[in-house]
Amino acid sequence: MPARHLACLPLLILSVLLSVAVTGIAYAAYPDAAPRGRLPPQVQPLHYTLELEIDPRHERFGGRVSIRLRLDEAVSHLWLHGDGVQIARAEIIQGRSRRDAQWRDVLPSGVARVDIDGGPVGPGVVTLTLEYDALFDRNLAGLFAVQEQGEFYALAKSESIQARKYLPGFDEPGFKAPFDISLTIPEGYAAISNGPEVRREPAGDGMQRVTFATTRPLSTYLLSLAVGPFDVVERPAIPPNDVRKTPLPLRGIARKGRGDALAYVLDITPRFVEIFEQSLRQPYPYAKLDIVAAPQWPSGATELAAAISYREQRILIDGTPPPAVRRALISVHAHEIAHMWFGNVVTPPWWDDLWLKEGFATWATPFVLTQWEPQAGHDMTARARTVDAMAKDSLASVRRVREPIALNEDIRNAYTSIPYSKGAALIAMADAYFGAEAFRPALGRYVARYADGTADSADFFEAIGEASGEPALTESFQSFVEQPGVPEVSAALQCAPDAPPRVRLAQRRYLPVGSPAEEAAAVQRWVIPVCVAFAGPETGDRGRACILLRDASSELALNAPAGHCPAWLHPNADGAGYYRYSLSAKGWQALLAALAEIEATEALTVIDSAMAAFEAGTLPASTLLHVVEAAAAAEHRLVVTAPMARLRRYAATVLDETAGQTLLRWAGEHYRPRLAALAWARTEEDQLLRTALARFLALDARDPALRRQLARDAADFVGLGGDPDASALDADRYDTALTVGVQELGAPFIERMLMRRDELDDPRFEAAAVKVLGRSQSPTLRADAQARVLAGEFGTRENWALVNALFEGPSTRAQAWDWYRAHFTQLMAVIPAQYRRRSPQPAADFCSAERARQLSMLFAEKGAEVPGHRRPLRQAMEQIGLCAALAQSQGARLAGALRYVEDSAR
């Protein structure tokens, strides 16, 4: 090192030491280049004061935000977020010094730079004030305005990085700060935000200024703003209890004239809050709870702090809800309330730890619902979600639960079933293996430790390990969270006449035929809590044994007498483990024969693991058909319906058209007696099963008699040929019956259905009536539906649902693909902004190298229009390749097994 540099070294060391002494952390120098991911940590927001004028009848809104900042070092510029906001004036205040500043948009992801006139400011506390305005978004992102039934409403959809569209600031989950918010709005309009309204005062020209109480520290993605002629339904405050010492104000908010439809969701809310509080021993964290039914909303619901916002068709109920509608409502409501603790009061610092909010909220949903309705089978619904997650987790291109995210453009790709359902499954596995008495109180202590702050995976692992006293819990969690894929546990029963039975266990990553992950999978190992169930020595007796499987293989002794060889072995007791399993041919045969004896949660994993084995090339096609037969005869609804999605996919891709129709017709013969037996279904479970069976038989097996009846019901409901009969359909049957109506009755039905859509104020019917247009078999009617999308006749979310429906039918998918490619840029403008990254997905059900080539070429040309598309593209390309490999490996075998079965039946 040159002498002149050595002379400066003591000063450099002193500077670093002083920085550490002041901040406790030594950072890299504040960057001059724009950060494409996380903002530099040297600038921290401490408090926001936000003043906006919002009139949803206008095109623009505007106002001012003042942000108190802590600067850990002197800076001459600031990096922050703003997307589409027009800055009229920027000012920095430090003590008595006021400096003008210059705003500059830098990156398309919404990263901006503020240059400070007159040189650096800080370290210390400064205030940045920005005066600005912006257009209301017309695509359900940021602060958007919509018109519904002749009235105008404005709402803010902030998650995940959309707050920057209406609030220039620090739009990352780790930057939590209190907010003081005031809104100037038209007189007579309601205004909702995260804090309680504390006063209203005249603002002139027919406007009012509404001021809200200061919030607890919030991440920007949790901000709520809603303005419009809403119905506001006041409910009695939720009373105090031994955990929460003050009453909790409760309100419902719906668009004008729809407040009465909030009764059901408001009725159940106090009990849900109580269950969470008592289970976690932590009070609801905010000063009030608003339930907002948004006239339009891009997702099902969003956990905006103290103002949970839902797409209105998820929670508005007129009269008694049909079973599927009710189940969907209570599920989404429990999930969003769970977020008040998991994600809101304790927040992940960055999106790579999304699972710490979404996984826990997903796990907490059946946990709460089971306490509320112990006999309703919500644990089965959770297991079914685990099965769905394992299907996605079987891809080589899948994300890890905790996936590093370097770019803003990749943030929305974290929102998959992996952090949600896989995250929840890992939590449930830990809860089951280590015991609720240790695990659940530890969760409450974790929430208390990090309340109003942030916690990442390392913080969680440390806190939960300390609180539970189970170090192996941390080890197991980490092995699943930090690597992708589904473990497959092979289980071989070993019996000897002079010794208790044993099970030889081995683990590897599950891979379907054709997977490109073979090399990476060879070195993967998990710490797997494995529990097996087995038939005991007495009739009806049942045994259980558990092991923490750390190594590639191990042996597990069963608690059974010497010489006893169990009639069956189930390698995933209670279905609680996040893994698939493989068995010998004899083992599968014995387990399928015992399907009626084992728990329903276990039966669900039998169907999944067996069909996954078929897709891995290790289960014969004849056994696959036995799996379908066993499922169709099972008792529980979700076991009965478990094979349906895969059968639909095999028929459309693995088999040719004739064999595919044979498969669905053959499956329909097994399902038809179940539907006939449910003609007078009384219980909710039976009604749900009847709806699912009718859908499969009508749309997949194409049962003629059932389709005739559904077409009549659909015609009666919309009033084709007479007056509309509202009793002809309930909301659970909209999708199936309207699809049959479109396919069987054609243009006259479609015209009347769309007229009825305008006449009814029924958001569920409105959504279904648009989606089913994409399922027409007529080229003329499909072209008409496509033209309606491009013309902007429907809402953006409805457009996306219709586009996906166009790709569902194997016989019409090619035409839909040609249209999609030809109009790609136009289509991206009429779907929700947060869904554009998913634009490769409609092609994922193709099954040929030529379609994969076309998909690759499309995004080579158009990919710049849809930031964040790269991982969905990789996954779609992989799915096409896997489909082709499965068709080559198993297509002929499955077709042959079907011929054998049909010939044997003659």
Side-chain angles (χ1 to χ4, degrees):
M1 182 179 291
R4 64 181 183 274
H5 290 174
L6 285 170
C8 296
L9 191 57
L11 291 176
L12 177 61
I13 294 172
L14 178 61
S15 174
V16 172
L17 290 175
L18 284 173
S19 173
V20 174
V22 171
T23 67
I25 304 171
Y27 301 124
Y30 195 75
D32 195 58
R36 300 187 64 196
R38 300 182 74 166
L39 295 179
Q42 292 95 321
V43 179
Q44 295 279 330
L46 303 176
H47 183 274
Y48 288 81
T49 300
L50 177 61
E51 304 166 276
L52 289 179
E53 182 171 314
I54 299 177
D55 186 341
R57 300 168 298 184
H58 297 165
E59 288 189 351
R60 302 184 74 88
F61 63 92
R64 178 173 65 182
V65 62
S66 294
I67 314 171
R68 195 164 74 247
L69 304 172
R70 189 192 75 226
L71 309 182
D72 291 340
E73 63 184 62
V75 297
S76 59
H77 63 276
L78 302 172
W79 293 111
L80 69 166
H81 296 114
D83 186 2
V85 293
Q86 300 296 313
I87 304 298
R89 184 167 181 268
E91 182 181 61
I92 293 278
I93 303 171
Q94 185 175 30
R96 296 182 180 181
S97 171
R98 290 176 176 267
R99 307 265 200 93
D100 287 338
Q102 311 305 317
W103 175 282
R104 180 159 53 95
D105 296 319
V106 179
L107 297 180
S109 61
V111 176
R113 175 173 171 141
V114 173
D115 287 299
I116 303 162
D117 291 355
V121 296
V125 176
V126 304
T127 299
L128 169 66
T129 298
L130 300 165
E131 296 177 3
Y132 66 98
D133 71 341
L135 284 166
F136 284 113
D137 192 89
R138 300 295 173 183
N139 209 7
L140 307 186
L143 186 57
F144 62 89
V146 296
Q147 184 180 11
E148 197 74 28
Q149 300 293 314
E151 300 286 354
F152 292 86
Y153 303 86
L155 301 110
K157 173 62 167 69
S158 305
E159 190 176 12
S160 52
I161 57 170
Q162 296 176 4
R164 63 191 64 178
K165 289 178 174 290
Y166 66 89
L167 173 68
F170 296 79
D171 192 19
E172 291 181 12
F175 290 130
K176 298 181 77 168
F179 281 78
D180 278 307
I181 297 175
S182 62
L183 304 178
T184 300
I185 66 171
E187 288 182 352
Y189 275 23
I192 298 94
S193 190
N194 306 93
E197 183 179 319
V198 294
R199 66 177 178 274
R200 283 188 177 229
E201 51 197 350
D205 297 327
M207 304 292 280
Q208 287 183 316
R209 180 183 174 89
V210 182
T211 301
F212 300 92
T214 304
T215 71
R216 292 177 75 157
L218 296 178
S219 305
T220 49
Y221 83 89
L222 297 172
L223 289 179
S224 170
L225 301 174
V227 173
F230 290 103
D231 285 357
V232 179
V233 180
E234 301 273 359
R235 279 297 180 95
I238 302 174
N241 54 39
D242 62 331
V243 178
R244 175 177 36 83
K245 304 307 180 185
T246 58
L248 174 59
L250 174 64
R251 302 188 305 175
I253 291 93
R255 60 182 166 83
K256 188 175 181 179
R258 296 294 281 159
D260 289 348
L262 288 163
Y264 186 86
V265 72
L266 290 173
D267 286 346
I268 65 177
T269 298
R271 178 60 180 143
F272 283 16
V273 171
E274 178 189 20
I275 293 172
F276 275 112
E277 290 181 324
Q278 296 297 336
S279 299
L280 295 173
R281 305 305 297 171
Q282 297 295 318
Y284 173 84
Y286 301 108
K288 52 93 175 176
L289 176 55
D290 288 339
I291 307 301
V292 182
Q296 293 186 39
W297 200 251
S299 57
T302 308
E303 67 272 19
L304 307 183
I308 306 173
S309 296
Y310 300 81
R311 191 166 75 252
E312 65 177 10
Q313 55 260 51
R314 299 300 299 268
I315 61 169
L316 293 186
I317 298 291
D318 294 308
T320 302
V325 167
R326 191 191 80 88
R327 287 287 185 114
L329 184 156
I330 62 176
S331 179
V332 71
H333 194 44
H335 180 101
E336 301 307 326
I337 291 177
H339 271 309
M340 299 303 108
W341 290 267
F342 299 113
N344 290 15
V345 74
V346 179
T347 308
W350 184 241
W351 301 105
D352 48 10
D353 281 309
L354 181 70
W355 78 282
L356 285 176
K357 73 183 190 75
E358 296 300 349
F360 274 98
T362 304
W363 167 78
T365 298
F367 165 70
V368 167
L369 294 180
T370 298
Q371 292 188 59
W372 183 55
E373 298 179 331
Q375 306 305 317
H378 295 295
D379 56 336
M380 276 293 289
T381 303
R383 297 295 190 273
R385 288 199 183 103
T386 299
V387 167
D388 290 342
M390 287 195 287
K392 301 289 191 303
D393 207 15
S394 300
L395 296 175
S397 53
V398 72
R399 301 179 77 95
R400 289 169 279 184
V401 173
R402 186 184 190 278
E403 179 78 11
I405 296 173
L407 303 176
N408 280 289
E409 292 85 351
D410 198 35
I411 288 170
R412 285 302 306 179
N413 285 322
Y415 285 77
T416 70
S417 60
I418 299 304
Y420 284 75
S421 297
K422 181 177 180 179
L426 303 184
I427 297 162
M429 181 168 64
D431 187 47
Y433 188 85
F434 293 96
E437 65 283 353
F439 185 68
R440 295 177 189 176
L443 287 182
R445 292 193 285 274
Y446 157 76
V447 170
R449 176 185 293 191
Y450 293 104
D452 288 327
T454 63
D456 61 14
S457 289
D459 296 324
F460 169 75
F461 294 146
E462 179 183 357
I464 211 74
E466 289 177 3
S468 67
E470 292 280 1
L473 181 61
T474 294
E475 190 181 1
S476 179
F477 258 126
Q478 286 182 298
S479 73
F480 280 89
V481 166
E482 295 175 358
Q483 60 181 336
V486 185
E488 181 183 74
V489 175
S490 65
L493 188 60
Q494 299 176 335
C495 298
D498 57 348
R502 304 177 70 83
V503 180
R504 180 72 177 171
L505 300 171
Q507 63 161 297
R508 67 181 186 95
R509 182 173 176 175
Y510 169 80
L511 297 176
V513 170
S515 174
E518 191 73 48
E519 184 176 344
V523 297
Q524 285 190 254
R525 295 288 181 272
W526 290 263
V527 180
I528 311 174
V530 175
C531 290
V532 304
F534 58 92
E538 303 294 332
T539 302
D541 195 12
R542 173 187 169 96
R544 177 188 175 97
C546 298
I547 188 174
L548 207 58
L549 183 60
R550 301 172 182 273
D551 300 322
S553 62
S554 187
E555 282 197 353
L556 173 63
L558 303 185
N559 184 21
H564 170 69
C565 196
W568 54 263
L569 173 77
H570 188 285
N572 190 352
D574 300 322
Y578 188 81
Y579 53 88
R580 285 171 165 156
Y581 48 84
S582 60
L583 296 165
S584 65
K586 182 179 178 181
W588 282 120
Q589 183 180 6
L591 196 52
L592 288 170
L595 203 68
E597 300 175 34
I598 63 179
E599 300 291 330
T601 51
E602 295 170 337
L604 196 61
T605 72
V606 173
I607 306 303
D608 174 65
S609 286
M611 298 189 86
F614 171 75
E615 292 168 14
T618 60
L619 188 87
S622 57
T623 306
L624 175 74
L625 299 184
H626 292 319
V627 170
V628 177
E629 292 170 337
E635 181 177 349
H636 196 279
R637 165 179 62 94
L638 291 174
V639 180
V640 175
T641 60
M644 288 180 176
R646 279 180 160 122
L647 291 173
R648 192 177 298 119
R649 178 161 58 87
Y650 299 161
T653 58
V654 174
L655 300 171
D656 62 31
E657 185 174 358
T658 300
Q661 292 173 352
T662 300
L663 175 65
L664 294 175
R665 186 175 61 249
W666 171 84
E669 292 301 321
H670 289 279
Y671 284 126
R672 191 172 291 107
R674 295 300 302 269
L675 180 62
L678 294 168
W680 303 104
R682 291 287 183 264
T683 69
E684 187 173 80
E685 275 294 308
D686 283 349
Q687 291 168 15
L688 289 166
L689 178 56
R690 182 177 62 190
T691 298
L693 290 169
R695 178 180 178 80
F696 184 85
L697 288 165
L699 302 189
D700 299 309
R702 302 187 71 83
D703 181 279
L706 182 56
R707 288 177 67 85
R708 286 193 296 270
Q709 180 60 56
L710 287 168
R712 286 194 295 269
D713 292 344
D716 290 346
F717 185 83
V718 303
L720 180 64
D723 293 331
D725 179 4
S727 67
L729 291 178
D730 62 31
D732 283 2
R733 296 205 299 153
Y734 282 166
D735 190 83
T736 300
L738 296 179
T739 296
V740 174
V742 165
Q743 293 174 348
E744 297 292 334
L745 304 176
F749 175 80
I750 290 174
E751 181 181 357
R752 183 65 197 124
M753 178 180 69
L754 294 179
M755 289 176 61
R756 189 65 179 148
R757 181 176 183 267
D758 293 335
E759 296 165 358
L760 283 176
D761 188 358
D762 181 345
R764 292 183 183 84
F765 180 75
E766 291 175 15
V770 173
K771 181 177 182 179
V772 300
L773 296 176
R775 297 190 180 128
S776 171
Q777 303 299 302
S778 160
T780 301
L781 296 178
R782 289 170 64 84
D784 177 68
Q786 292 164 352
R788 290 174 187 271
V789 170
L790 296 175
E793 185 172 327
F794 308 121
T796 57
R797 186 179 173 91
E798 286 75 18
N799 285 338
W800 182 238
L802 195 161
V803 167
N804 280 277
L806 287 164
F807 281 83
E808 289 178 6
S811 62
T812 56
R813 191 173 292 142
Q815 184 274 334
W817 176 235
D818 291 341
W819 170 77
Y820 190 73
R821 288 188 294 159
H823 298 90
F824 184 83
T825 298
Q826 293 168 270
L827 286 167
M828 292 305 102
V830 295
I831 66 172
Q834 70 182 52
Y835 289 174
R836 291 172 190 163
R837 64 188 173 83
R838 301 182 186 176
S839 50
Q841 288 180 345
D845 286 333
F846 282 120
C847 206
S848 72
E850 173 58 20
R851 296 302 187 194
R853 186 188 67 82
Q854 292 175 358
L855 177 62
S856 178
M857 288 179 61
L858 174 64
F859 282 89
E861 179 185 352
K862 300 286 190 179
E865 299 176 15
V866 282
H869 75 277
R870 287 182 175 82
R871 186 179 293 270
L873 175 61
R874 289 198 299 273
Q875 293 185 338
M877 295 283 287
E878 183 182 353
Q879 286 175 270
I880 294 171
L882 291 176
C883 177
L886 181 62
Q888 183 177 9
S889 170
Q890 296 285 58
R893 293 186 176 95
L894 181 55
L898 280 169
R899 287 193 298 271
Y900 177 80
V901 167
E902 288 210 318
D903 290 345
S904 299
R906 291 193 181 102

